[in-house]
């Protein structure tokens, strides 16, 4: 028994079940989790290793290179990028985008790092592998105060963190700006020299005194008791009273020769300020299966509750509110979906009449609500991508109902009852309609199969379109016949051919008469459209429509954090004075010493570096975003000429550091710098480009202590003695830890403030000889000289690599800049020494990867479509006819993008794929109609004409409903979705003409159909 027959015989069951689907679909809609977008896996981990006191070159050779060699053995690696700086090695490990199970890969990475760490020199720290680099902290909450001590602010932040962690949707909470505490033991070099003591001697005493060792256990009667000797430091007074034995065998206390202070780390390495005031920020990450809207509601309620209990002057503020953004985006898209559904329903009512229009119109909300149920089963969330897929599907899903109702109407006109007409229509159309639905779905298959971040970002389009089309197919075969049984009357189907059909017949006969000329004209127009497409701007992904931007600030490497803080303070003052007071800017927060956390999926996070800062600025209204951004950026550049300044709005899609990036790789740094200078010179001539920099920066000055080996040997001083004395006098030694409650606080031994940063007294630092016990001034065994060296060494896949990066002006196009510079790069590449090469990065690379990941899967989709069509038609020629018409849809796409001033990007490519699915859908049913007309006794020529006329209204209606359905997305979808909507709308206008004209012409050519002599 067919499902149509069952539905008609059990019509009451069908209607009740449909009502249940309606109710459950509404419930599913409200239960579906919400998100801004589907997201993607960030396949990057970092390996950080500290090598205190080592230069960038020594870090590269002794640490970075050894770890890279072992990491590169992993077959999953895409590329390795590393930065070697003074005292630290940072390696970014990037995994190929085809891998999704990252846990096993990160475990393998840890094993490789552990293997490589065995070859590291003494003095290096254990490498730290961070595989949570891609975690997104979509909620940022600041804790600020006008009068409280920083310690009290910390306590409030920690208490608030504990309360937030109780929320079921929260995965973790990070405190940013929390200052590490230290116990400083500060000595005076002069005083130590008089007592013939050294810093290393004090270090040994502190280490030996502060111990936690078990004394074993002893049996007492029937019990065994633990023995624990005292010794570890439990308060500051115990540290002060540490006994120091002098060379004269006398005893003194540590407090007699040193000042012991319990305070925050000085200098700090990371500071957070909200609105210019020191602050602590709570960064909140959601669980993978959490509901962002529910999380936002709970956080809002918690903030109100906590705020009531805080002391006067302490305030909690939301700096970034992803739940509110998601609610806005999903709400706008739901509005677009409802508007589109309303427009499509109106089109059905006006074009098909009230009764038939309602029968078809009912299918629209039913298909969408059924899709919500199935989306819940397959864990597909409501986001801008899945909702856009539903909007795309609106025009397609009505096709099945239109074709079914049209067929039922025609058969009823020929004298059949509504039940007989429904059963015959279902029998004739169920396979063609299923084939057209599956071929349309198969057109989106490359998106689903794409092994890239962009593919992950958009693959729900395939899932949702497939679910919606199959739902509409089932409903067309069941609900449409049942509704027709109750509502369709014969008077609704009186045959009366309109003038449209008359003119279409004449048009069809004319092009069939001049079929080769028709083909030639179409080809010429197609070639012209390709030329027009070259003029259309190219863009990978447009920026987000959120009214926020980041100001990234980078001073020369080696800059003191106090200098960085002063520069940021000046910018903060400017924003406060010019934009906070007039309320154009809602809030801003500064992260000094490293970037903001990954609060936005496409945000490219920067690791800790004292010369680097980020200011996140939230503008009240989007219309003011670009003017505020430009003004703040210009002020910063004019105020700090030596600062690299990058102002960026939030991006969509995969992260791209700079839109323009050119990488030059090789072995010799000087050759790389010469090549990069030529490239920067060329880029500076382009009007579209601004802020051209390279990622190495300028060379740094450093002091080299040139040891006189002969003098040092004579005085019994070793190189180790000099290094230890210098470090303890200047930077300080972390000698042991002080335990306070649940915290381990380092005890740092260092020189006092009077000598630590005094360049004139550097040479007077006393060097203590471990062998002789004598203190010798540094100037007696060494001299100081200034040298220049690389501040950092950056490598990619173990080759030194300089990346020339540039931003573009607001209305400029990054891909056009790459096209302009390509000839220059090809020219100078011929002058490259052996082993040197260049690569394009930025938008060019990201766009290329995304497009390639889809294009490489097109053959699979093509084969699936061909197999479906061959199975449908049992023919090779008919699938070829359909496939030949698909590329001509570009004609409408080119014209649409050009006249609307839009751009060609990744979303445009998705629009073209959608368009091809619609063309295939219409073409299949048209060719199937030709077959039916021919089987009903018509000559092949007449069958082509009659099939075209028969399918004219359904194809036109599908076109109109699709266009009207996409109009809200065109006008309200923002820069991201606008080009896709334009591509489908304008492409479909031309593709409809092609379907109704070109397919009959190609059919007549392939099947050698001759025009009848009596045909007019």
């Amino acid at each position: 028994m067919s499902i149509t027959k069952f539905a008609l015989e059990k019509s009451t069951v069908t209607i009740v079940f449909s009502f249940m689907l309606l109710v459950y679909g509404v419930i599913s809609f409200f239960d579906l989790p919400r998100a801004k977008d589907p997201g993607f896996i960030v396949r990057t981990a970092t390996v950080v290793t500290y090598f205190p006191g080592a230069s960038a070159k020594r870090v590269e050779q002794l640490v970075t290179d050894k770890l890279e060699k072992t990491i590169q053995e992993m077959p999953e690696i895409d590329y390795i990028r590393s930065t070697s700086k003074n005292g630290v090695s940072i390696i970014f490990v990037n995994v190929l985008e085809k891998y999704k199970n990252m846990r096993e890969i990160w475990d393998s990475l840890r094993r490789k790092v552990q293997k490589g760490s065995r070859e590291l020199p003494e003095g290096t720290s254990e490498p730290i592998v961070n595989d949570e680099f891609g975690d997104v902290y979509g909620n940022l909450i600041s804790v600020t105060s006008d009068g409280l001590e920083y310690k009290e602010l910390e306590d409030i932040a920690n208490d608030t963190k504990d309360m937030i962690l109780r929320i079921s949707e929260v995965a973790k909470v990070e405190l940013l700006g929390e200052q590490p505490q230290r116990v400083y033991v500060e000595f005076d070099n002069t005083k130590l020299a008089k007592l013939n003591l050294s810093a290393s001697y004090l270090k040994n005493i502190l280490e030996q005194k502060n111990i936690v060792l078990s004394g074993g256990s002893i049996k007492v009667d029937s019990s065994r008791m633990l023995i624990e000797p005292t010794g570890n430091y439990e308060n500051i007074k115990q540290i002060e009273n540490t006994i120091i034995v002098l060379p004269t065998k006398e005893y003194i206390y540590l407090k007699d020769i040193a000042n012991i202070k319990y305070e925050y780390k000085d200098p700090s390495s990371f500071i957070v300020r909200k609105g210019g005031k020191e602050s602590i920020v709570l960064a909140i990450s959601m669980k993978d299966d959490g509901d962002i809207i529910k999380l936002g509601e709970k956080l809002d309620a918690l903030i109100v509750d906590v705020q009531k209990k805080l002391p006067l002057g302490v305030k909690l503020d939301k700096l970034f509110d992803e739940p509110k953004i998601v609610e806005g985006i999903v709400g706008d898209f739901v509005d677009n979906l409802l508007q589109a559904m309303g427009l499509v329903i109106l089109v059905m009512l006006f074009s098909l009449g009230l009764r038939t229009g309602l029968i078809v119109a009912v299918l629209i909300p039913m298909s969408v609500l059924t899709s919500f149920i199935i989306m819940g089963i397959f864990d597909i969330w409501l986001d801008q991508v899945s909702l856009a897929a539903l909007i795309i599907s609106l025009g397609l899903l009505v096709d099945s109902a239109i074709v079914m109702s049209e067929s039922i109407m025609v058969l009823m006109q020929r004298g059949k009852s509504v039940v007989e007409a429904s059963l015959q229509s279902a029998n004739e159309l169920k396979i063609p309609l299923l084939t057209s639905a599956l071929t349309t779905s198969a057109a989106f298959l490359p998106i689903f199969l794409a092994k890239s971040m962009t593919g992950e970002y958009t693959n729900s389009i395939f899932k949702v379109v497939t679910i919606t089309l199959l739902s509409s197919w089932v409903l067309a075969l069941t609900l449409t016949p049942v509704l027709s049984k109750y509502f369709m009357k014969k008077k609704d189907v009186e045959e009366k051919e309109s003038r449209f059909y008359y003119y279409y017949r004449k048009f069809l006969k004319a092009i069939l008469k001049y079929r080769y000329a028709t083909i030639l004209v179409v080809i010429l127009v197609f070639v012209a459209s390709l030329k027009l497409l070259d003029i259309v701007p190219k863009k990978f992904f447009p920026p987000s429509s959120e009214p926020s931007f980041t100001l990234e600030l980078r001073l020369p490497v080696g800059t003191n954090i106090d200098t960085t803080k002063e520069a940021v303070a000046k910018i903060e003052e400017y924003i406060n004075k010019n934009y906070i007071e007039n309320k154009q800017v809602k809030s801003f927060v500064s992260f000094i010493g490293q970037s903001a956390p990954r609060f936005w999926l496409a945000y490219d996070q920067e690791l800790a570096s004292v010369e680097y800062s980020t200011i996140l600025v939230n503008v009240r209204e989007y219309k003011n975003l670009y003017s505020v951004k430009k003004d703040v950026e210009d002020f910063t550049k004019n105020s700090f000429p030596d600062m690299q300044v990058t102002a960026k709005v939030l991006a969509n899609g995969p992260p791209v550091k700079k839109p323009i990036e050119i990488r030059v790789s090789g072995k010799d740094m000087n050759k790389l710098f010469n090549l990069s200078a030529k490239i920067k010179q060329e880029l500076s001539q382009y009007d579209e480009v601004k802020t051209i920099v390279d990622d190495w920066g300028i060379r740094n000055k450093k002091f080299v202590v040139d040891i006189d080996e002969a003098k040092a040997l004579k005085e019994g001083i070793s190189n180790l003695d000099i290094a230890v004395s210098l470090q303890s006098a200047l930077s300080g030694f972390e000698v042991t830890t002080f335990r306070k409650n649940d915290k381990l606080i380092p005890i740092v031994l260092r020189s006092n403030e009077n000598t630590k940063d005094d360049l004139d007294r550097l040479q007077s630092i006393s060097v203590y000889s471990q062998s002789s016990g004598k203190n010798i001034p540094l100037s007696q065994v060494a001299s100081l000289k200034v040298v220049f060296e690389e501040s950092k060494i950056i490598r990619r896949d173990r080759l030194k690599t300089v990346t020339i990066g540039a931003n573009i002006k607001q209305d400029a196009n990054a891909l056009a800049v790459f096209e302009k510079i390509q000839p220059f790069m090809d020219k100078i590449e011929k002058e490259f020494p052996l082993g040197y090469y260049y690569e394009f990065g930025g938008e060019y690379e990201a766009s290329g990867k995304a497009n390639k990941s889809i294009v490489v899967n097109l053959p699979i989709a093509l084969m699936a479509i061909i197999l479906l069509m061959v199975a449908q038609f049992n023919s090779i020629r008919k699938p070829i006819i359909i496939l030949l018409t698909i590329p001509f849809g570009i004609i409408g796409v080119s014209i649409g993008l050009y006249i609307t001033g839009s751009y060609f990007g990744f979303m445009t490519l998705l629009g073209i794929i959608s368009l091809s699915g619609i063309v295939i859908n219409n073409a299949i049913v048209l060719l199937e109609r030709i077959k039916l007309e021919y089987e009903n006794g018509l000559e092949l020529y007449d069958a082509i004409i009659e099939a075209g006329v028969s399918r004219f209204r359904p194809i036109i209606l599908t076109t109109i409903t699709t266009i009207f359905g996409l109009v809200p997305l065109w006008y309200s979808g923002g820069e991201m979705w606008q080009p896709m909507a334009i591509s489908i709308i304008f492409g479909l206008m031309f593709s409809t003409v092609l379907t109704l004209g070109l397919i009959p012409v190609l059919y007549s050519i392939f099947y050698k159909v001759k025009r009848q002599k009596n045909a007019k």
Side-chain angles (χ1 to χ4, degrees):
M1 182 185 289
S2 70
I3 59 171
T4 305
K5 187 176 181 181
F6 177 84
L8 286 167
E9 288 180 357
K10 308 287 185 181
S11 57
T12 305
V13 174
T14 304
I15 290 172
V16 171
F17 183 71
S18 298
F19 181 75
M20 291 171 65
L21 276 180
L22 182 74
V23 173
Y24 189 40
V26 172
I27 295 169
S28 297
F29 168 74
F30 288 106
D31 283 346
L32 279 173
R34 268 72 166 163
K36 183 180 74 69
D37 46 47
F40 44 79
I41 301 169
V42 179
R43 296 170 173 83
T44 303
T46 60
V47 182
V48 180
T49 312
Y50 294 98
F51 190 10
S55 66
K57 189 173 182 179
R58 287 176 64 81
V59 169
E60 180 210 11
Q61 294 171 341
L62 301 178
V63 180
T64 306
D65 187 64
K66 295 184 185 302
L67 291 175
E68 283 182 341
K69 281 178 182 175
T70 57
I71 293 170
Q72 207 168 35
E73 295 171 4
M74 295 173 62
E76 302 91 349
I77 297 297
D78 182 9
Y79 67 93
I80 299 170
R81 179 170 59 89
S82 66
T83 302
S84 301
K85 300 195 291 186
N86 292 340
V88 62
S89 162
I90 304 169
I91 301 173
F92 294 85
V93 182
N94 298 274
V95 173
L96 288 164
E97 293 183 351
K98 66 181 181 180
Y99 293 103
K100 293 189 176 181
N101 184 9
M102 303 308 297
R103 178 50 48 206
E104 292 179 6
I105 296 173
W106 298 145
D107 289 343
S108 175
L109 173 63
R110 283 187 167 82
R111 288 192 294 272
K112 292 294 182 184
V113 169
Q114 188 177 21
K115 175 185 171 184
S117 64
R118 295 172 194 153
E119 299 181 32
L120 299 183
E122 188 178 345
T124 56
S125 69
E126 188 71 25
I128 304 165
V129 179
N130 177 18
D131 59 11
E132 297 178 344
F133 186 66
D135 287 355
V136 178
Y137 298 87
N139 293 273
L140 302 180
I141 301 172
S142 66
V143 185
T144 52
S145 167
D146 288 329
L148 289 185
E149 292 288 332
Y150 200 87
K151 180 67 179 68
E152 295 173 294
L153 203 63
E154 267 188 5
D155 291 339
I156 291 170
N158 275 299
D159 291 340
T160 307
K161 174 183 175 179
D162 292 339
M163 294 181 72
I164 292 172
L165 283 170
R166 294 184 194 133
I167 297 174
S168 57
E169 286 80 7
V170 172
K172 59 182 177 180
V173 181
E174 296 286 343
L175 290 186
L176 307 175
E178 190 179 26
Q179 298 302 307
Q181 298 173 22
R182 296 286 186 270
V183 174
Y184 288 110
V185 178
E186 294 186 339
F187 59 86
D188 188 320
N189 274 310
T190 306
K191 192 176 287 186
L192 286 188
K194 287 179 180 177
L195 296 171
N196 210 19
L197 296 176
S198 71
S200 56
Y201 178 68
L202 298 181
K203 173 177 174 288
N204 292 335
I205 290 177
L206 289 168
E207 285 176 343
Q208 292 168 12
K209 163 71 174 171
N210 189 38
I211 59 167
V212 178
L213 286 176
S214 169
S217 62
I218 187 171
K219 184 179 178 183
V220 179
D221 297 331
S222 61
S223 303
R224 182 162 287 277
M225 299 179 65
L226 292 175
I227 299 173
E228 182 181 328
T230 61
N232 61 293
Y233 292 127
E234 294 181 353
N235 54 58
I236 298 298
K237 194 166 185 180
Q238 288 180 350
I239 301 174
E240 291 176 337
N241 292 330
T242 300
I243 296 173
I244 307 296
V245 181
L246 299 176
T248 59
K249 306 301 181 182
E250 296 177 282
Y251 296 91
I252 61 171
Y253 293 113
L254 181 61
K255 63 184 178 183
D256 296 329
I257 55 172
N259 183 26
I260 292 85
K261 298 191 295 185
Y262 177 41
E263 57 185 34
Y264 291 108
K265 182 184 174 185
D266 178 34
S268 176
S269 56
F270 180 38
I271 302 163
V272 176
R273 297 204 298 220
K274 189 259 177 180
K277 295 179 181 177
E278 288 202 354
S279 171
I280 295 176
V281 168
L282 295 101
I284 302 157
S285 175
M286 187 183 73
K287 289 179 180 176
D288 290 340
D289 58 349
D291 188 320
I292 190 72
I293 304 298
K294 290 180 181 176
L295 172 60
E297 291 169 354
K298 292 178 181 179
L299 278 176
D300 288 340
L302 179 65
I303 289 172
V304 171
D305 186 45
V306 171
Q307 187 68 65
K308 291 176 183 176
K309 300 173 183 177
L310 294 179
L312 194 64
V314 180
K315 194 174 180 185
L316 301 182
D317 289 300
K318 273 197 172 184
L319 302 172
F320 198 79
D321 191 352
E322 188 181 15
K324 187 176 180 181
I325 293 170
V326 170
E327 195 171 7
I329 289 173
V330 173
D332 290 344
F333 265 85
V334 169
D335 289 344
N336 288 340
L337 180 62
L338 293 173
Q339 291 169 22
M341 286 172 63
L343 288 170
V344 171
I345 290 169
L346 286 174
V347 170
M348 294 295 98
L349 293 174
F350 278 107
S351 57
L352 297 174
L354 183 61
R355 288 177 182 272
T356 310
L358 281 173
I359 291 169
V360 175
V362 165
L363 192 75
I364 297 168
M366 285 300 301
S367 297
V368 172
L369 291 171
T370 304
S371 299
F372 287 145
I373 296 170
I374 301 171
M375 285 167 65
I377 295 169
F378 286 98
D379 196 29
I380 301 170
W381 291 19
L382 273 186
D383 51 57
Q384 59 179 344
V385 176
S386 61
L387 285 166
L390 283 170
I391 294 171
I392 293 169
S393 303
L394 282 179
L396 302 173
L397 64 87
V398 296
D399 193 50
S400 297
I402 291 171
V403 173
M404 273 293 293
S405 59
E406 284 267 332
S407 179
I408 293 169
M409 288 164 60
V410 170
L411 290 174
M412 286 176 65
Q413 183 63 32
R414 292 175 183 173
K416 293 185 181 291
S417 69
V418 67
V419 173
E420 290 173 332
S422 297
L423 290 173
Q424 185 177 332
S425 297
N427 189 51
E428 290 175 355
L429 293 171
K430 62 183 178 183
I431 299 302
L433 289 177
L434 177 61
T435 304
S436 63
L438 292 176
T439 50
T440 303
S441 172
F444 293 91
L445 191 59
I447 301 169
F448 178 72
L449 296 176
K451 293 176 179 177
S452 66
M453 286 195 290
T454 311
E456 289 173 39
Y457 188 80
T458 55
N459 71 12
S460 59
I461 291 180
F462 167 78
K463 298 175 187 176
V464 174
V465 169
T466 302
I467 289 168
T468 309
L469 291 183
L470 291 179
S471 299
S472 70
W473 175 75
V474 173
L475 291 168
L477 294 178
T478 52
L479 188 59
T480 299
V482 169
L483 292 175
S484 298
K485 175 182 174 181
Y486 288 107
F487 296 105
M488 193 175 283
K489 306 296 180 184
K490 280 194 176 183
K491 65 179 181 179
D492 292 332
V493 293
E494 293 177 5
E495 189 172 3
K496 184 178 179 182
E497 186 169 285
S498 69
R499 295 185 65 83
F500 286 108
Y501 293 108
Y502 170 76
Y503 287 118
Y504 176 58
R505 282 179 189 274
K506 291 191 71 174
F507 167 74
L508 207 50
K509 289 176 181 178
I511 60 175
L512 286 171
K513 182 179 180 180
Y514 302 104
R515 52 192 179 182
Y516 292 106
T518 301
I519 297 292
L520 180 61
V521 170
V522 172
I523 291 172
L524 290 173
V525 174
F526 175 67
V527 172
S529 72
L530 292 179
K531 295 290 183 185
L532 184 63
L533 198 60
D534 287 338
I535 304 172
V536 174
K538 310 295 188 298
K539 190 186 294 183
F540 180 39
F541 269 98
S544 165
S545 57
E546 291 308 310
S548 300
F549 71 91
T550 57
L551 191 70
E552 296 179 5
L553 315 169
R554 191 186 297 277
L555 286 160
V557 176
T559 300
N560 189 293
I561 194 165
D562 292 330
T563 306
T564 308
K565 189 163 66 171
E566 288 169 11
V568 172
K570 190 172 180 180
I571 300 165
E572 289 171 336
E573 184 183 355
Y574 182 81
I575 297 172
N576 270 321
K577 184 177 179 182
N578 291 274
Y579 294 109
I580 292 291
E581 291 179 7
N582 64 17
K583 297 186 178 179
Q584 283 193 52
V585 167
K586 183 167 57 176
S587 65
F588 67 94
V589 56
S590 306
F591 300 89
I592 304 167
Q594 69 181 57
S595 70
R598 194 185 295 272
F599 62 92
W600 186 263
L601 184 61
Y603 178 67
D604 196 11
Q605 194 177 356
E606 187 87 12
L607 294 184
S609 192
V610 292
E611 71 277 356
Y612 179 88
S613 299
T614 301
I615 303 177
L616 170 61
V617 183
N618 299 309
V619 182
R620 286 191 182 275
E621 296 183 31
Y622 182 77
K623 65 180 182 181
N624 297 324
L625 176 65
Y626 284 94
S627 61
V628 174
K629 179 179 83 74
K630 185 178 184 307
D631 182 56
V632 173
E633 184 180 18
D634 290 344
F635 166 79
T636 307
K637 286 179 178 178
N638 294 331
S639 301
F640 306 99
D642 61 339
M643 181 186 285
Q644 290 182 17
V645 182
T646 304
K648 294 194 292 190
V649 297
L650 304 183
N652 281 315
V656 176
K657 201 170 189 68
K658 287 186 183 294
I660 308 294
E661 281 186 355
I662 302 170
R663 296 189 294 268
V664 186
S665 299
K667 292 183 178 180
D668 186 85
M669 289 185 290
N670 292 324
K671 289 178 181 177
L672 290 176
F673 291 150
N674 290 336
L675 292 171
S676 68
K678 291 179 182 179
I679 296 168
K680 284 194 273 189
Q681 177 64 32
E682 176 67 18
L683 280 172
S684 66
Q685 298 176 30
Y686 301 161
D687 293 335
E688 309 98 314
V689 174
K690 64 176 185 178
T691 321
I692 304 166
V693 295
D694 68 65
D695 55 351
W696 283 56
I698 60 174
R699 292 186 171 184
N700 246 356
K701 287 189 293 187
K702 79 168 183 180
F703 284 106
V704 172
V705 179
D706 190 6
I707 301 171
D708 188 322
E709 299 286 349
K711 289 182 179 178
L713 187 61
K714 184 179 178 181
E715 298 291 346
I717 300 290
S718 68
N719 291 357
L720 178 63
D721 292 336
I722 294 174
V724 169
S725 298
L726 283 169
Q727 181 154 356
S728 59
L730 300 175
S731 305
F733 265 116
E734 188 176 309
V735 292
T736 184
T737 54
F738 166 62
R739 293 164 182 83
K740 184 178 181 184
N741 299 326
D742 60 340
K743 291 184 179 180
L744 290 176
I745 299 167
I747 298 177
V748 178
L749 181 66
R750 69 179 185 181
S751 170
N752 61 29
E753 296 292 333
N754 295 329
T755 61
K756 179 165 74 79
D757 291 325
D758 189 346
L759 187 60
D760 294 332
R761 299 182 63 180
L762 181 60
Q763 296 193 44
S764 65
I765 287 176
S766 296
V767 178
Y768 179 79
S769 171
Q770 300 285 344
S771 58
S772 65
K774 293 193 298 183
N775 274 305
I776 307 294
L778 178 64
S779 58
Q780 289 188 16
V781 292
S783 59
L784 299 177
K785 63 180 181 180
V786 178
V787 298
F788 287 85
E789 67 170 11
E790 304 311 325
S791 54
K792 55 184 173 181
I793 298 171
I794 299 172
R795 311 201 316 179
R796 186 182 174 97
D797 290 333
R798 301 192 56 229
L799 269 181
K800 293 181 179 67
T801 301
V802 177
T803 301
I804 300 96
N807 293 313
I808 54 172
K809 294 177 181 175
Q810 186 177 336
D811 298 323
N813 185 282
L815 296 177
V817 175
F818 281 111
E819 287 179 11
K820 284 176 72 172
I821 202 170
Q822 179 77 64
F824 172 80
M825 294 305 302
D826 290 342
K827 180 183 175 183
I828 68 165
E829 188 181 26
K830 296 173 184 176
E831 304 170 10
F832 280 16
L834 183 65
Y836 290 74
Y837 64 92
Y838 83 90
E839 293 175 318
F840 283 158
E843 282 196 18
Y844 180 93
E845 183 177 48
S847 175
K849 277 185 178 180
N851 294 340
K852 183 181 177 182
S853 69
I854 287 182
V855 171
V856 76
N857 291 302
L858 284 176
I860 299 173
L862 192 61
M863 285 188 287
I865 290 168
I866 291 171
L867 281 172
L868 285 167
M869 290 192 293
V870 169
Q872 168 66 36
F873 298 119
N874 193 27
S875 164
I876 295 294
R877 286 181 286 183
K878 289 178 182 178
I880 292 173
I881 290 169
I882 295 173
L883 293 175
L884 284 175
T885 59
I886 293 173
F888 295 114
I890 293 289
I891 297 170
V893 175
S894 302
I895 294 170
L897 293 175
Y898 181 74
I899 65 176
T900 58
S902 191
Y903 65 91
F904 188 98
F906 185 79
M907 302 312 293
T908 318
L909 183 63
L910 296 189
I912 293 170
I913 292 171
S914 308
L915 182 63
S916 65
I918 300 169
V919 172
I920 293 168
N921 185 27
N922 289 331
I924 286 174
V925 185
L926 176 58
L927 291 176
E928 188 64 26
R929 191 70 198 183
I930 294 174
K931 176 187 171 186
L932 285 173
E933 296 290 352
Y934 181 67
E935 289 174 351
N936 288 336
L938 290 178
E939 293 291 331
L940 204 49
Y941 179 85
D942 292 329
I944 293 172
I945 301 292
E946 292 307 316
V949 171
S950 175
R951 283 295 295 151
F952 180 80
R953 183 161 75 163
I955 289 175
I956 292 295
L957 283 178
T958 301
T959 300
I960 293 172
T961 52
T962 304
I963 289 172
F964 272 80
L966 286 167
V967 165
L969 196 61
W970 178 5
Y971 282 99
S972 307
E975 261 194 281
M976 182 164 173
W977 297 101
Q978 182 193 76
M980 188 181 77
I982 290 169
S983 300
I984 299 175
I985 289 171
F986 284 87
L988 195 54
M989 290 178 186
F990 285 84
S991 295
T992 301
V993 176
L994 293 174
T995 302
L996 293 170
L998 188 61
I999 285 180
V1001 168
L1002 288 171
Y1003 189 93
S1004 70
I1005 293 171
F1006 273 75
Y1007 284 88
K1008 299 178 181 178
V1009 178
K1010 294 183 179 179
R1011 183 171 174 267
Q1012 295 175 353
K1013 291 182 181 178
N1014 60 349
K1016 295 182 180 179

